Amino acid sequence: MEKKYQIVKILDASTFIINGGSSDGIVKGTEFSIIDANASPIKDLNNNVIGSYAVSKGTIYATEVQEKMTVCMTGTRENMPSVSAVFEDLRTYEHQIELNVDPADIDTSYDSDEPVRVGDFAEIINEQRSQNE
């Protein structure tokens, strides 16, 4: 069974720390799906719980991997400038995608749908392989 990782700290709406690192085989670029720690139970017509369903809250990528923890960030999105800006500058720009996080869970000491919360799971959805493999 694959280890379950969890969000242990939220630095801002696009930067998260999970409780797994290089000792768990995580490498830079590993892709995770953030899954609600409290998945909703699914009941049949007789009100019996038959399973649970958890929606992905977003995707994050390992950017800094330490032995027992990993800093993950969302991807970037390319924006087209507004119509008025087109006449000033024809370039597009990228910005970090921000996820809907619970503001109470953001650790502001670093100055840096349902919201992402501390304790949500981070499931690997695409492993990167080191170049030595």
Side-chain angles (χ1 to χ4, degrees):
M1 179 170 179
E2 193 169 290
K3 178 177 177 180
K4 288 195 176 218
Y5 305 103
Q6 286 185 289
I7 304 244
V8 295
K9 193 166 288 286
I10 298 173
L11 303 182
D12 59 40
S14 59
T15 311
F16 307 86
I17 296 177
I18 63 169
N19 64 340
S22 59
S23 64
D24 299 297
I26 297 172
V27 296
K28 186 175 180 177
T30 301
E31 185 177 2
F32 298 88
S33 179
I34 300 174
I35 305 298
D36 193 334
N38 302 309
S40 299
I42 304 298
K43 297 180 180 183
D44 65 15
L45 298 176
N46 295 320
N47 212 27
N48 298 312
V49 175
I50 58 173
S52 63
Y53 182 72
V55 177
S56 176
K57 294 181 177 183
T59 303
I60 54 176
Y61 305 87
T63 58
E64 180 186 329
V65 182
Q66 297 181 21
E67 182 183 355
K68 296 184 182 222
M69 65 167 254
T70 300
V71 176
C72 297
M73 296 186 74
T74 59
T76 58
R77 178 180 294 136
E78 190 173 279
N79 283 349
M80 297 296 290
S82 66
V83 175
S84 61
V86 169
F87 298 108
E88 297 172 19
D89 188 353
L90 295 175
R91 294 177 295 163
T92 60
Y93 63 94
E94 288 186 348
H95 75 278
Q96 205 69 38
I97 297 168
E98 290 190 351
L99 300 179
N100 181 13
V101 301
D102 185 340
D105 282 344
I106 295 176
D107 186 343
T108 57
S109 67
Y110 289 88
D111 287 328
S112 30
D113 317 301
E114 286 292 309
V116 175
R117 295 182 183 272
V118 169
D120 282 350
F121 294 105
E123 295 183 354
I124 293 176
I125 54 177
N126 183 13
E127 292 187 59
Q128 294 293 325
R129 302 275 186 231
S130 68
Q131 294 187 0
N132 297 331
E133 291 183 33

